[in-house]
Amino acid sequence: MIRTVLLASVLIVGGCATVSSAPVSSQAAAPSAPAPGLSQAQVAQGFVDAIVLGCAAAAEAGKPVSEIAGTAIVRDDGRPAMLKPRNGGTAWAPASAKGIVTIDEGPAECEVSAYGPPAQAALNAAGEALAAKGFAVSSPMRTSGGIFFVTYSKQAGGRTVSVSLSGNDPGAPGMRSRFSTLGARVSAK
């Protein structure tokens, strides 16, 4: 969650763009800046795509994202230094929402972060897409002061693929972001 809040803060301060605004200058339209003019629905769909077509698909196949990424999931090497993946991970993004939705692929987990759309609706959309791919709820939706958590899992290739989703809307206790934040953590054991 901290990285998601940092992402939102850096993009607000550095790019002077919001999810639904046009770029303020040509500098705001740089490759590492948020994709201007995206609706909340487009960002939510990018979040779902990053999970289903990126992290979960790779975990199910037992392969890195680079081996399953098509045109929907692209490299995202132009991020600011503070948003680079930890521990030598690889930066990816859904092509449709690059700059607002990020994928950090590490050796043991794949993480997706986004900001903007209403959290519960975006998590529900991700859950529906995961269910369509055979994932089942392993830990039902819980809420705590405007913060949402839910986990899905599936058996694939002799491993359990787990997708933990979390999110919060603005004003949730302990959260500083003016925007909703979304996160997903995908692992296979």
Side-chain angles (χ1 to χ4, degrees):
M1 275 300 172
I2 292 172
R3 291 189 66 178
T4 305
V5 172
L6 283 174
L7 170 66
S9 299
V10 165
L11 294 173
I12 292 165
V13 172
C16 297
T18 64
V19 171
S20 61
S21 70
V24 174
S25 69
S26 60
Q27 185 178 25
S32 62
L38 290 181
S39 69
Q40 291 182 352
Q42 289 169 313
V43 174
Q45 186 59 53
F47 179 70
V48 171
D49 290 347
I51 296 165
V52 175
L53 302 176
C55 292
E60 285 181 80
K63 298 179 178 182
V65 173
S66 61
E67 291 185 27
I68 59 93
T71 57
I73 305 296
V74 297
R75 288 294 299 262
D76 190 15
D77 295 327
R79 291 187 199 167
M82 68 185 297
L83 298 177
K84 300 273 185 203
R86 295 176 292 239
N87 302 324
T90 306
W92 298 92
S96 62
K98 186 175 179 182
I100 296 178
V101 180
T102 62
I103 301 171
D104 293 348
E105 180 184 29
E109 293 182 329
C110 189
E111 297 179 1
V112 177
S113 299
Y115 70 94
Q120 188 169 13
L123 298 182
N124 288 341
E128 290 172 12
L130 288 165
K133 295 286 187 177
F135 283 81
V137 173
S138 57
S139 175
M141 178 80 72
R142 310 175 307 284
T143 61
S144 175
I147 302 172
F148 307 96
F149 306 93
V150 63
T151 302
Y152 293 82
S153 62
K154 175 182 180 178
Q155 293 295 316
R159 297 175 321 281
T160 300
V161 177
S162 177
V163 181
S164 297
L165 305 174
S166 62
N168 67 276
D169 288 322
M175 299 298 166
R176 297 176 134 173
S177 178
R178 296 182 354 198
F179 303 99
S180 61
T181 58
L182 306 169
R185 179 169 284 149
V186 180
S187 62
K189 297 177 184 174

